Amino acid sequence: MRLDKLLSNLKYATRKEVRKLAREGIITVNDKVIKDPSIHIDPINDEIKIGHETVLYHETLTLMMNKRKGTVCAHNDDLHPTVFEDLDIKYQRFDLHIAGRLDKDTEGLIIMSTDGKLVHDIISPKKDVYKTYEVFTKDVVENIDDLKRPMEILDGNNQPYTPFEPIIVSQDNQRSVIKIKEGKFHQVKRMFAHIGHEVIALKRLAIGELTLDESLSPAAHKVLNDDDLKKIFQ
Ligand code: URA
């Protein structure tokens, strides 16, 4: 791949700016100063630097984040911080999409990826990727099995929607753990509201068999490898 194309694709600089940086002698490939940015490089094996900054390249990049409460799953928001603002600057250059958004007051596992097919497959109910939520309700839930009865809630367009039957993982006083395979707007809150319970705290613990890395503090994130990705679809 051409060096100038790589750097402009990764939003380090425009091609024109890359030419200028190269003329100034601050772009190196494997420690050799490169004055002609039209050269071809191997983005995986060559070490490319602009000044002291090493250029980070991933053919596809997929991250796990422990979303913190208070952030919105959107690229831009006038009122609230976004999950993208919590990303390390080196990842902000990538065209990342969220595989299943969480509400502002929900925390826990989100997956962000440059791989559109992966994002689609995680979201699509047809792929049977269950999402596990830890739910705290205002009151003790004594009728958890009511969640398994067919119900009608509203989706994000305020249209009636009947969720697939959830899996009840556990229930203890005000704490329930359930799995659902879709991600309609406010779905967990609306399902609990339907059975008469107000959700006061919500955390996503897992997507498929990929569980939130609890060593990630709120807003922290890490790159997922192929073994992690396999767990999603197990
Ligand atoms: N269900 C909800 O109600 N909110 C979320 O953030 C995720 C699932």
Side-chain angles (χ1 to χ4, degrees), residues 24-91:
E24 288 166 359
I26 55 174
I27 300 180
T28 59
V29 175
N30 304 326
D31 289 330
K32 188 166 167 274
V33 172
I34 301 297
K35 296 265 181 171
D36 173 9
S38 68
I39 61 158
H40 281 77
I41 45 93
D42 172 351
I44 294 173
N45 294 310
D46 289 334
E47 192 193 28
I48 302 150
K49 283 187 173 179
I50 303 181
H52 295 292
E53 187 177 354
T54 301
V55 171
L56 180 74
Y57 177 78
H58 287 268
E59 231 151 291
T60 60
L61 176 68
T62 302
L63 302 170
M64 162 191 290
M65 177 185 273
N66 181 8
K67 178 190 175 295
R68 65 183 168 103
K69 284 186 195 168
T71 51
V72 292
C73 287
H75 279 279
N76 301 297
D77 193 282
D78 290 341
L79 295 178
H80 310 287
T82 73
V83 290
F84 293 100
E85 288 166 41
D86 278 343
L87 283 177
D88 205 292
I89 189 82
K90 64 177 183 273
Y91 300 129

Side-chain angles (χ1 to χ4, degrees), residues 67 100-107 131 133 180 182-191 199 202-204:
K67 178 190 175 295
R101 287 180 287 180
L102 294 178
D103 296 338
K104 181 162 72 75
D105 57 357
T106 303
E107 59 188 319
K131 291 87 186 173
Y133 290 91
I180 58 171
E182 325 93 300
K184 298 287 179 198
F185 185 60
H186 292 340
Q187 183 171 337
V188 173
K189 291 173 189 162
R190 288 179 176 177
M191 289 172 73
V199 173
L202 188 59
K203 181 174 184 177
R204 186 153 63 199

